[in-house]
Amino acid sequence: MKRFWGFLAGGLLVALLLAGVVSNFASPHPDGLDSSLREGCTVDADGEITGGSCPAQQERDHEIGGPLADYGIAGIDNDFLSTGLSGVLGVLLTFAVAGGVFWLTRRRDAGPTPQADQSDTPAPNQEADRSDTTAPSQG
């Protein structure tokens, strides 16, 4: 069991490092979905749509938004820190939810197995054996 907790702690540490540090070095260029939505439009060097016709022109901010929108934390001006903290919070939240689900669905022991009744009444197969040995011999 000790190896399991060490493995889990090591996995959490690696995930926190990747989310908190390495995520800041991800590509700033649009991914496949963003690129496909911009097909048919002209885009300037800053990534702003300047003309044409494409589905990305219908883009707007999410109605809910939230504190972790756009891979950062709202209210933190330092992009490196904001992205790193957002990743760390996401990892911790994911581990907490997954841990809670695993804890709720874990296999529970039924407790100690009840011992068989040790009364003086023999089991049916033992009774037949006893009658054979106590019967008077015919002879």
Side-chain angles (χ1 to χ4, degrees):
M1 192 68 167
K2 188 175 184 180
R3 291 182 77 187
F4 168 75
W5 289 109
F7 179 76
L8 189 67
L12 179 61
L13 181 64
V14 168
L16 288 171
L17 283 172
L18 289 173
V21 178
V22 178
S23 64
N24 282 296
F25 300 105
S27 174
H29 300 293
D31 60 10
L33 178 62
D34 286 337
S35 295
S36 65
L37 290 175
R38 291 176 180 224
E39 286 183 13
C41 285
T42 54
V43 182
D44 64 8
D46 295 328
E48 300 295 324
I49 298 173
T50 58
S53 176
C54 63
Q57 290 173 321
Q58 306 301 319
E59 178 183 32
R60 61 181 191 274
D61 287 336
H62 194 277
E63 295 170 4
I64 296 174
L68 300 177
D70 292 329
Y71 304 107
I73 296 179
I76 297 180
D77 294 331
N78 184 337
D79 287 340
F80 189 86
L81 181 63
S82 177
T83 301
L85 285 177
S86 175
V88 167
L89 286 174
V91 166
L92 291 176
L93 182 63
T94 301
F95 263 74
V97 169
V101 168
F102 286 129
W103 181 77
L104 288 173
T105 61
R106 73 189 183 280
R107 190 180 313 164
R108 293 179 178 92
D109 291 335
T113 307
Q115 295 290 331
D117 188 17
Q118 299 294 332
S119 65
D120 292 336
T121 310
N125 60 354
Q126 291 175 344
E127 192 172 305
D129 292 341
R130 191 179 292 174
S131 63
D132 289 343
T133 59
T134 59
S137 63
Q138 296 179 7

